[in-house]
């Protein structure tokens, strides 16, 4: 499969280039810039997520049920980077998609599988925090079996909805600048259209709803606690609220532009977007592989205690943080105790 071109000058012009039934929307300078940016993102994502996995394997203290989802998120993000971001570095540098039809389907499947698994894991983390803190089902103790079931569910759900295009329901095609592959949002065939609608509702809308409901419930509970728990509970509520805001904002920044673009293309396939509008949402979604470990892992003091020295060859620039960590832990435990007293049945 080769790029269709009339002459070398045409390749360097700002006009589009036809390839693989699609268009390469950016000039060579734009593709080179995109390749360089994605190279930086890829290296950073591999470094951060690999560190999370490595320190978890090295330190038994991190292998707790509540951390299973965090490690699963790192694994899914690492998979997204290796199967999606890294290949896009190469294809953008070359100037067109070089892997052919089989490569496109394989990339689209792998990126979607890892990406939706990561998305479901973000929702899983929200639900786990809700059950541990607010205890909506009473005094059920969160155990290893619950954590394993949650992680397995995230992979099975993603596999369930990303496999159909391999067997004819839906399709994987070139997207964005024509140098990466994903679900075919533009095909108006009834079979493909029905798949895309189900895919959006069950793989984006449902996880997003779970995140909003879980964190809203959590903040509402902690706000009630702060009114009766005094200064420590109020401080713990502020800490949790700040982290929740960052989580939701990161989710929206990463995924909402891509979801909006996809839905617009689904219902208005003839709409004309500028090349930048077509390209940016796709790579913003892929950039979540950096946001996720920074927010979910490195804002977790337990992980940071081991991850920072691992990255800095044994040096820790925040050695005085230990006392602050103990104080924060006491405050959170106090808040949780108040929550349990309020929500547990008499």
């Amino acid at each position: 499969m080769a790029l269709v071109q009339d002459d070398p000058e045409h390749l360097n012009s700002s006009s589009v280039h036809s390839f693989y039934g699609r268009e390469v929307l950016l000039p060579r300078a734009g593709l080179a810039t995109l390749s360089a940016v994605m190279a930086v993102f890829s290296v950073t994502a591999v470094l951060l997520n690999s560190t999370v996995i490595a320190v978890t394997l090295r330190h038994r203290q991190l292998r707790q049920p509540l951390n299973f989802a965090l490690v699963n998120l790192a694994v899914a993000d690492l998979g997204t980077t290796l199967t999606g971001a890294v290949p896009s570095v190469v294809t953008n540098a070359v100037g067109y998609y070089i892997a052919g039809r089989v490569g496109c389907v394989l990339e689209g499947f792998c990126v979607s599988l890892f990406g939706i698994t990561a998305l479901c894991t973000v929702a899983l983390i929200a639900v786990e925090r809700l059950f541990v803190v607010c205890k909506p089902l009473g005094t059920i103790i969160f155990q290893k079996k619950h954590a394993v079931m949650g992680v397995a569910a995230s992979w099975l759900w993603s596999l369930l909805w990303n496999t159909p295009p391999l067997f004819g329901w839906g399709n994987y095609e070139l997207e964005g600048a024509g140098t990466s592959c994903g679900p075919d949002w533009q095909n108006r065939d009834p079979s493909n259209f029905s798949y895309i609608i189900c895919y959006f509702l069950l793989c984006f809308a449902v996880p997003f709803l779970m995140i909003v409901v879980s964190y809203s419930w959590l903040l509402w509970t902690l706000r009630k606690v702060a009114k009766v728990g005094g200064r420590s509970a109020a401080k713990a509520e502020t800490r949790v609220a700040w982290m929740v805001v960052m989580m939701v904002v990161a989710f929206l920044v990463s995924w909402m532009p891509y979801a909006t673009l996809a839905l617009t293309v689904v219902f208005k396939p003839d709409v004309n977007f500028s090349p930048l509008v077509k390209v940016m949402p796709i790579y913003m979604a892929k950039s979540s592989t950096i946001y996720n470990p920074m927010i979910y892992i490195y804002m977790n003091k337990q992980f940071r205690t081991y991850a920072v020295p691992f990255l800095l060859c044994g040096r820790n620039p925040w050695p005085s943080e230990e006392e602050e960590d103990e104080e924060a832990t006491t405050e959170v435990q106090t808040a949780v105790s108040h929550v349990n007293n309020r929500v547990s049945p008499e």
Side-chain angles (χ1 to χ4, degrees), residues 116-303:
I116 296 303
T117 298
L119 196 57
C120 291
T121 304
V122 172
L124 174 64
I125 292 171
V127 173
E128 286 183 354
R129 290 182 176 179
L130 170 67
F131 275 79
V132 170
V133 176
C134 300
K135 297 187 180 297
L137 298 181
T139 57
I140 296 178
I141 300 176
F142 187 78
Q143 300 176 354
K144 180 179 179 179
K145 62 180 181 180
H146 301 129
V148 172
M149 288 172 59
V151 169
S154 68
W155 285 99
L156 291 174
W157 188 253
S158 181
L159 184 64
L160 176 66
W161 291 104
N162 285 297
T163 301
L166 302 179
F167 299 96
W169 188 33
N171 194 22
Y172 292 116
E173 269 292 354
L174 292 176
E175 62 179 0
T179 54
S180 61
C181 289
D184 188 358
W185 305 101
Q186 293 182 314
N187 191 333
R188 299 295 294 175
D189 180 79
S191 175
N192 187 79
F193 183 80
S194 63
Y195 169 75
I196 289 299
I197 295 300
C198 291
Y199 191 78
F200 175 81
L201 291 176
L202 298 173
C203 294
F204 178 82
V206 169
F208 179 64
L209 183 62
M210 292 170 64
I211 291 170
V212 171
V213 171
S214 297
Y215 284 137
S216 297
W217 192 340
L218 178 62
L219 290 178
W220 176 72
T221 301
L222 290 180
R223 181 164 293 277
K224 290 198 305 179
V225 167
K227 294 179 180 179
V228 299
R231 182 172 174 271
S232 61
K235 192 172 182 180
E237 181 209 7
T238 302
R239 288 175 181 270
V240 174
W242 174 244
M243 183 173 288
V244 167
V245 168
M246 292 193 66
M247 291 172 178
V248 174
V249 169
F251 180 93
L252 294 177
V253 169
S254 300
W255 290 101
M256 191 59 75
Y258 183 73
T260 301
L261 175 65
L263 276 187
T264 303
V265 171
V266 167
F267 290 103
K268 293 184 178 180
D270 297 328
V271 66
N272 290 320
F273 290 114
S274 67
L276 190 62
V277 172
K278 288 185 176 182
V279 171
M280 289 306 296
I282 295 171
Y283 290 96
M284 288 176 69
K286 292 180 179 180
S287 70
S288 65
T289 57
I290 293 180
Y291 303 149
N292 285 339
M294 292 179 65
I295 293 176
Y296 290 90
I297 306 298
Y298 290 95
M299 286 186 67
N300 181 315
K301 290 187 174 69
Q302 186 184 31
F303 268 96

Side-chain angles (χ1 to χ4, degrees), residues 52-60 63:
V52 172
I53 298 170
V55 296
T56 302
L57 293 176
R58 291 183 61 181
H59 300 283
R60 183 184 300 273
R63 297 197 291 271

Side-chain angles (χ1 to χ4, degrees), residues 8-77:
E9 293 183 359
H10 181 71
L11 187 62
N12 296 319
S13 69
S14 60
S15 59
V16 298
H17 315 295
S18 175
F19 172 70
Y20 192 43
R22 298 284 180 168
E23 295 176 336
V24 178
L25 299 177
L26 297 177
R28 286 302 298 269
L31 292 174
T33 301
L34 194 57
S35 177
V37 171
M38 289 308 299
V40 173
F41 271 72
S42 298
V43 171
T44 305
V46 169
L47 182 62
L48 294 179
N49 289 292
S50 296
T51 299
V52 172
I53 298 170
V55 296
T56 302
L57 293 176
R58 291 183 61 181
H59 300 283
R60 183 184 300 273
Q61 298 91 323
L62 297 178
R63 297 197 291 271
Q64 302 174 8
L66 277 174
N67 291 336
F68 285 16
L70 297 177
V71 178
N72 189 60
L73 181 61
V75 172
D77 281 340

Side-chain angles (χ1 to χ4, degrees), residues 55-118:
V55 296
T56 302
L57 293 176
R58 291 183 61 181
H59 300 283
R60 183 184 300 273
Q61 298 91 323
L62 297 178
R63 297 197 291 271
Q64 302 174 8
L66 277 174
N67 291 336
F68 285 16
L70 297 177
V71 178
N72 189 60
L73 181 61
V75 172
D77 281 340
L78 183 61
T80 302
T81 301
L82 296 178
T83 60
V86 172
S88 72
V89 173
V90 178
T91 55
N92 283 309
V94 173
Y96 58 92
Y97 196 77
I98 61 176
R101 174 62 187 166
V102 174
C104 182
V105 173
L106 182 60
E107 178 186 334
F109 170 74
C110 290
V111 173
S112 299
L113 175 66
F114 288 119
I116 296 303
T117 298

